[in-house]
Amino acid sequence: MRLKVLLVGGGAREHALAWAIAQSADCEALYCAPGNAGIESFAECVPIAIDDVEALTLFAQEKAIDLVVVGPEAPLVKGLADKLRDIGIAVFGPSANAARLEGSKGFMKDLCAQQNIPTARYQRFTDPAAADAFIETLHPPIVVKADGLAAGKGVVIAQTKKEARRAAHDMLSGNAFGAAGTEIVIEEFLDGEELSYFVLTDGVSVLPLASAQDHKRAYDHDQGPNTGGMGAYAPAHLMTPELEQKILERIIQPTIEGLAAIECPYIGVLYAGIMVVKDEPYLIEYNVRFGDPECQVIIPRLQGDWLEIFAAAANGWLESVKENIRWRTDTALCVVMAAQGYPGEPMKNTTIKNLEVAQEAEDVIVFHAATRRADDGTLRAMGGRVLGITAMGADVAQARDKAYKAVDMIDWPEGFCRRDIGWRALPKA
Ligand code: AMP
Ligand code: GLY
């Protein structure tokens, strides 16, 4: 089977996906829209925006693409997968209806309620007075969420009822997140430790992938503002075979069955944000894509052919490839390097040197997130999160040491990273 593949996205997640897909013997051609300076070495990058559904569909048709792999959620929520399937192109990524798991928090919570999936107690609101009445019944902290996509910022953990009411009113008025916030979910706060859990599915069969732990705050010791993720490692230290079984049986399986029952089967990767409270898993949120940086620590751990797996999920024969899958036993750890200013306004167009040297470091892969090759050949930082330095090691400490050794080889004074990625999994110093 020789496949022409279109990968949609341009971050480090897509660099990791391109790196994996290009290694497959089945890969005849790989295009990436829009890609970045790192992806260029594996794929032909085409300047189409990730949410330009029309242009992506047209491109896939013109190039006779066999499989489209979609990285980010925005094009999925906008119906890219539906459009492509309508014209007979296989897609690794859910339909717009199934992507509501991420695109509408209320939809996700209602599905949980219907399927008895353990999650925080909640209600949905469009009316501020009704929201106030529910807030009165809860004990702070109280969690207020915009229903729609809000670029990862639509969640407020309010420490008082007053703060919860203010957050709810700001969202409902449209002031906080526009249309994404005119419906909200208010829920109880769950106090525990978080992990990310990933499976692939073709709508029926489920392939467990991995657990990982992200680091959302910008600075060491979990200080500073929230970000898209400053580093990750896999597998997560608190994962056990018993916990994984509970997550699969109580959360993942009923979700896949619930979606199939309402005729929106889920095809693609499903990312569950899990809160572990006293060894019991609760679903915090779903994302309909790989996490980033989590993707960068999951992809390199497979001993096998990712393209074969993506194609199998997209075409409904995932069950038949399951027995080919082997995981490396070592730990992967990724340190994100961001431009100073991130997650606010990042410094742009600064020059990154010595990346070639870091790339050669032992057991290290450098993934690009927001880079551009300037006309003079230098590598420039073009966004907030700019690079992901992933290393493999026998345990978290070894992977961390290798990753930071490579980080320290990179000459980029305008960049920064956290120095404590993996700290939860390491003995206290
Ligand atoms: P989300 O955008 O849904 O991922 O929420 C962002 C973050 O808010 C999560 O990663 C959690 O750390 C936190 N969070 C969301 N919902 C809850 C909850 N019910 N209890 C505790 N923390 C939560
Ligand atoms: N790393 C968190 C996310 O991708 O949403």
Side-chain angles (χ1 to χ4, degrees):
M1 186 173 55
R2 301 279 291 159
L3 300 175
K4 290 200 206 93
V5 183
L6 169 63
L7 172 63
V8 178
R13 167 180 50 212
E14 287 76 25
H15 190 175
L17 294 170
W19 174 85
I21 292 169
Q23 288 176 40
S24 169
D26 292 341
C27 184
E28 181 181 321
L30 177 59
Y31 300 93
C32 186
N36 63 39
I39 295 174
E40 263 166 19
S41 41
F42 301 103
E44 187 179 327
C45 294
V46 286
I48 306 176
I50 57 161
D51 61 350
D52 192 343
V53 170
E54 294 297 328
L56 290 167
T57 310
L58 204 62
F59 180 84
Q61 210 165 15
E62 276 170 14
K63 293 287 179 190
I65 295 293
D66 301 296
L67 175 70
V68 178
V69 176
V70 186
E73 67 281 9
L76 295 166
V77 172
K78 275 182 89 172
L80 177 62
D82 308 76
K83 271 259 160 61
L84 290 163
R85 284 189 194 112
D86 280 350
I87 54 169
I89 298 176
V91 190
F92 181 78
S95 66
N97 265 340
R100 283 180 296 168
L101 280 186
E102 179 167 358
S104 165
K105 293 202 162 33
F107 171 81
M108 181 283 252
K109 296 293 283 192
D110 286 354
L111 186 77
C112 286
Q114 198 191 331
Q115 296 292 96
N116 275 322
I117 293 169
T119 186
R121 191 162 70 89
Y122 78 105
Q123 279 188 29
R124 303 173 72 167
F125 298 97
T126 51
D127 171 41
D132 289 351
F134 184 59
I135 287 168
E136 265 322 299
T137 69
L138 299 175
H139 297 287
I142 296 167
V143 185
V144 183
K145 299 182 170 182
D147 185 77
L149 293 182
K153 299 191 177 74
V155 176
V156 172
I157 315 253
Q159 298 303 327
T160 62
K161 289 183 180 176
K162 189 171 165 211
E163 199 189 320
R165 285 195 297 272
R166 194 180 326 122
H169 292 203
D170 275 356
M171 288 186 196
L172 289 172
S173 67
N175 288 340
F177 304 110
T182 52
E183 177 166 357
I184 59 172
V185 167
I186 299 178
E187 65 184 39
E188 282 177 335
F189 180 80
L190 295 171
D191 195 7
E193 188 169 343
E194 276 184 88
L195 62 81
S196 308
Y197 187 70
F198 296 85
V199 300
L200 292 193
T201 168
D202 59 9
V204 179
S205 181
V206 173
L207 171 68
L209 291 184
S211 62
Q213 216 168 23
D214 190 10
H215 299 64
K216 300 286 277 185
R217 301 297 196 97
Y219 314 130
D220 285 13
H221 313 299
D222 286 341
Q223 300 295 306
N226 256 322
T227 70
M230 293 300 292
Y233 71 95
H237 77 107
L238 66 163
M239 188 52 113
T240 61
E242 296 74 39
L243 181 60
E244 182 165 23
Q245 208 49 42
K246 287 179 192 171
I247 294 172
L248 285 166
E249 277 171 17
R250 298 180 192 169
I251 297 175
I252 304 292
Q253 207 63 51
T255 300
I256 304 298
E257 286 164 11
L259 287 175
I262 55 168
E263 279 166 31
C264 47
Y266 191 96
I267 295 166
V269 58
L270 182 59
Y271 157 2
I274 303 282
M275 187 72 83
V276 183
V277 185
K278 299 194 185 93
D279 294 329
E280 299 299 329
Y282 293 83
L283 180 67
I284 293 271
E285 60 159 353
Y286 270 132
N287 296 305
V288 298
R289 53 180 171 81
F290 275 108
D292 193 1
E294 291 96 324
C295 188
Q296 301 174 64
V297 291
I298 294 174
I299 291 288
R301 294 189 67 251
L302 180 83
Q303 289 176 310
D305 184 335
W306 277 110
L307 179 55
E308 182 189 25
I309 299 171
F310 295 149
N315 288 297
W317 60 66
L318 190 58
E319 199 60 37
S320 71
V321 300
K322 274 179 158 180
E323 63 191 38
N324 304 344
I325 288 162
R326 303 276 176 278
W327 294 98
R328 291 171 61 157
T329 52
D330 29 8
T331 297
L333 183 141
C334 172
V335 177
V336 170
M337 297 186 76
Q340 279 176 28
Y342 178 76
E345 197 51 47
M347 282 179 81
K348 282 224 176 98
N349 214 21
T350 57
T351 303
I352 303 165
K353 293 191 203 136
N354 269 3
L355 204 62
E356 316 69 43
V357 186
Q359 252 153 355
E360 296 304 314
E362 191 192 355
D363 297 326
V364 165
I365 319 170
V366 175
F367 294 119
H368 294 227
T371 55
R372 183 178 68 92
R373 189 67 65 189
D375 292 341
D376 63 5
T378 56
L379 188 69
R380 303 293 175 86
M382 298 309 295
R385 294 187 295 171
V386 174
L387 297 168
I389 316 300
T390 295
M392 307 287 295
D395 54 25
V396 178
Q398 274 196 22
R400 176 202 54 185
D401 291 349
K402 288 181 191 173
Y404 281 111
K405 207 169 151 191
V407 165
D408 290 336
M409 292 173 186
I410 297 169
D411 179 5
W412 181 34
E414 296 86 0
F416 76 97
C417 66
R418 278 181 61 159
R419 302 297 311 189
D420 64 346
I421 301 304
W423 67 271
R424 282 197 186 80
L426 293 162
K428 302 237 170 349

